Amino acid sequence: MQLSICLPETPLTVTPEQFLAIAVANPDLRLERTENGELIVNPPTGSESSRRNLSITAQLWNWAENHSELGVAFESSCGFRLPNGSTRAPDASWVRRERWESLSPAEKEGLAPLCPDFVVELRSKTDSLSTLQEKMREYMENGARLGWLIDPQNCQVEIYRSTGKTVEILEQPDTLSGEDILPDFLLSLNRIWP
């Protein structure tokens, strides 16, 4: 027997305090909160998305470990409180060392009150491309300097930059450069494309 549950069409809105309480009580859920307070519950990804995300995160982590004086890398379970009031959890991210060190121990332990300098969103089969594009614009408006929206379904990467340039779209690139934000970082995409 299959059980169906109908959820209301009206989004559930929560205060930052309520969001934190829900997140603490449900540590296995991937939660986000929009600047308008809408609670977003992200379902677990499928195996292929998880495998792809691990490749991205591992490559970023390896680079960050070899360049630890420059900053700190994070994986997808890390949430950040953006300046606009939303709480977001990019699939992979990085923060410059001086920005990270300016936080108090309590801020580092909790949801860091900043937007990462670098963010990656990896589109899974259940993700809406337009929703991810909106999320990438939000990161840039809140202080991110470089962002990659990697879309395996269309074999494309959208590159977002803080310099006000239009979004650059690459068709099935082999690698991506961290440019001057992540010096010498080159992400190999050979395990990302289908």
Side-chain angles (χ1 to χ4, degrees), residues 50-193:
S50 178
R51 180 190 63 75
R52 289 177 176 128
N53 199 59
L54 180 61
S55 175
I56 293 166
T57 303
Q59 291 179 68
L60 177 60
W61 181 83
N62 283 330
W63 175 86
E65 283 296 295
N66 290 321
H67 296 82
S68 61
E69 73 284 358
L70 298 179
V72 182
F74 302 89
E75 47 87 40
S76 63
S77 64
C78 182
F80 296 92
R81 285 181 316 175
L82 304 187
N84 71 354
S86 66
T87 300
R88 295 297 189 173
D91 289 320
S93 57
W94 179 85
V95 175
R96 286 189 333 255
R97 172 69 58 197
E98 59 271 13
R99 293 183 68 220
W100 180 249
E101 294 304 329
S102 72
L103 299 177
S104 71
E107 290 172 325
K108 289 178 183 178
E109 195 63 38
L111 301 171
L114 54 75
C115 183
D117 294 279
F118 170 70
V119 294
V120 179
E121 288 291 343
L122 174 66
R123 184 181 181 202
S124 67
K125 289 272 187 200
T126 58
D127 288 332
S128 156
L129 182 57
S130 62
T131 299
L132 288 177
Q133 290 168 330
E134 184 178 315
K135 194 173 175 183
M136 294 300 293
R137 287 189 293 274
E138 181 181 40
Y139 289 134
M140 303 317 290
E141 290 166 1
N142 279 272
R145 298 171 59 208
L146 178 64
W148 298 336
L149 171 51
I150 301 174
D151 181 1
Q153 295 165 48
N154 295 311
C155 295
Q156 289 183 335
V157 175
E158 294 183 10
I159 301 175
Y160 293 75
R161 296 179 179 90
S162 63
T163 56
K165 295 180 184 175
T166 58
V167 175
E168 181 180 1
I169 299 175
L170 303 177
E171 301 289 335
Q172 199 165 349
D174 294 327
T175 59
L176 294 172
S177 167
E179 303 176 5
D180 61 340
I181 310 303
L182 306 168
D184 303 321
F185 178 52
L186 208 57
L187 179 73
S188 170
L189 294 168
N190 66 341
R191 295 180 188 261
I192 305 302
W193 305 129

Side-chain angles (χ1 to χ4, degrees), residues 15-27:
T15 66
E17 295 79 17
Q18 291 169 324
F19 174 83
L20 188 56
I22 293 168
V24 168
N26 298 279

